[in-house]
Structures are given as structure tokens and as C-alpha cells.
Amino acid sequence: MSTNLWPFKKRPTSFRCHAEEASLTEDLAHALVEFCKHRGNRDLLLICIGTDRSTGDSLGPLVGNLLEGQNLNHFHVHGTLAEPIHAANMEKRLASIYKKHPNAFVVALDACLGKTANVGYITLSAEPLKPGAAMGKNLPEIGDICLTGIVNVGGLMDFYMLQSTRLHVVMSMAQKISKAVAAADQQLSALQTAKTKKAFSFMPTKTEPL
């Protein structure tokens, strides 16, 4: 669980939208594309943090599961219900992922606690994720950017709040985030195709000598 939106800290965010907003999928996909399209030739990773042993902390692996069966062209997704990435295995799993994808552009995804008025909001921030900080765990920062969903209220009895979070809330949020990632992947493919066509249009045509 991340504390990027911890109720006693203010952090800059580049995108923020409630999960019930009709335009969430489209807007989040656009925001993701804007962050990711300038990564150059770096591999694009989506690292989904969390565990299915805690309802509130299952957002990441639920998103990973929803994306696992899709044929994404750009996002390499890590962290699912079957193979979650959490505090107990994080350093080992990240070392393995980074060995396979050195110098990758990483989008880190995690559940988050926040103020009552902010529950249900999804944010995309231009900063690394700080997983486990709310539980006092010293874990490495993850990612070039972070994607967080505020699943419940934070500040007191955080472990209990995560355990008592409704699965419906987390699942609904996971479905919308996964749709946004899939849409962003399609948009990145369209941009790549357009860029290739533009490059070929500037190539000189070969003419036969007179």
C-alpha cells in the first residue's frame, strides 16, 4: 500500500479523477500516453503492487490479472493474483524484472489510503511510488511515475481499514484502470504507426536514370 496521497502530506499530481466519472477511462488513458510516449526506446513496464490477502491492498494484482490475458503491444505487466508483488518478495521480484528489462520506463501501481473526501479517486503522479510506508515498512521506491487508487480512509488503524475495504469498490476501480491501460496501449500503437508512416513519407523516391 502506498502513502503517496497520505492525508497529512500534499504531493503534486499530474492527473486526478474519481473512479465514478464517466470520462475516467478516456482521461486516464490520455494522461498515461502523455507520460509514456516520450520514453524513447525504453521498455514500458506496469508493476502492480499488492496482495490478495488484503481486500484493500488487492487493487494492483487485480489490475494485473485483468490485463494478463490481453495482447498488449507496449506495456509489460508484472504483478497478478497468482504472482503478486508485495512487501515479502518485492526486492527479489524487482531485481528479476529489472534484469530482464534494464533501463525500463516504469509505471508503478498500488492501492492508497486518504481522506474521506478523496476515497475513490485515481491519481497519476510524476514521482516514484513509496510502497509500504503507511505500515512502517522500509521498501525501495518504484517507478518513474506512479498510479494510485484511494480505496479507503487512512490515518488510524490502517491495517484494519485495508482488511475491511469492500471488494466491490476495489474491483470496480481495477476494471476501470485496466481499461484505461489497454486504451493507452492502443493509442501508443497508433502513435507508433503514424510516426512510421511519417518517416517513410520523407524518404526520397528512387528514380530511374534518363
Side-chain angles (χ1 to χ4, degrees):
M1 183 197 68
S2 168
T3 58
N4 284 41
L5 296 178
W6 198 240
F8 309 113
K9 297 180 181 179
K10 293 183 179 180
R11 297 180 180 274
T13 59
S14 299
F15 171 86
R16 183 174 183 270
C17 185
H18 198 277
E20 297 303 319
E21 287 288 336
S23 63
L24 170 68
T25 298
E26 180 181 352
D27 293 344
L28 179 55
H30 176 75
L32 273 170
V33 169
E34 288 301 306
F35 273 113
C36 298
K37 69 182 182 180
H38 300 298
R39 71 187 188 282
N41 294 323
R42 301 166 69 187
D43 286 347
L44 179 54
L45 307 185
L46 176 64
I47 298 182
C48 304
I49 307 299
T51 174
D52 60 348
R53 294 179 180 272
S54 171
T55 308
D57 206 19
S58 64
L59 177 65
L62 281 171
V63 172
N65 242 54
L66 291 168
L67 291 170
E68 188 178 27
Q70 301 194 35
N71 295 319
L72 302 178
N73 296 313
H74 301 277
F75 286 94
H76 300 272
V77 181
H78 297 273
T80 63
L81 292 174
E83 297 183 341
I85 301 173
H86 47 69
N89 67 7
M90 187 173 296
E91 293 191 26
K92 183 178 180 180
R93 289 291 305 279
L94 290 179
S96 176
I97 292 168
Y98 294 154
K99 184 177 180 180
K100 185 177 179 181
H101 302 279
N103 194 35
F105 184 89
V106 178
V107 182
L109 166 66
D110 198 3
C112 181
L113 298 177
K115 295 180 180 179
T116 302
N118 292 332
V119 173
Y121 274 91
I122 294 169
T123 68
L124 184 63
S125 303
E127 59 185 352
L129 183 74
K130 298 176 177 60
M135 310 306 292
K137 296 176 181 177
N138 185 23
L139 298 172
E141 293 186 351
I142 306 172
D144 296 272
I145 61 176
C146 67
L147 181 58
T148 54
I150 308 177
V151 298
N152 213 330
V153 180
L156 295 172
M157 300 178 67
D158 296 325
F159 180 78
Y160 173 78
M161 296 306 294
L162 284 174
Q163 294 287 354
S164 63
T165 299
R166 291 189 62 204
L167 179 60
H168 170 74
V169 172
V170 181
M171 190 65 197
S172 177
M173 194 176 291
Q175 289 172 334
K176 292 171 183 178
I177 291 174
S178 64
K179 288 179 181 179
V181 172
D185 191 82
Q186 292 178 352
Q187 291 178 34
L188 288 169
S189 291
L191 286 171
Q192 187 178 64
T193 300
K195 185 178 179 180
T196 301
K197 288 182 177 179
K198 184 177 180 181
F200 273 106
S201 69
F202 283 101
M203 291 180 65
T205 57
K206 185 178 180 180
T207 58
E208 295 293 329
L210 296 175

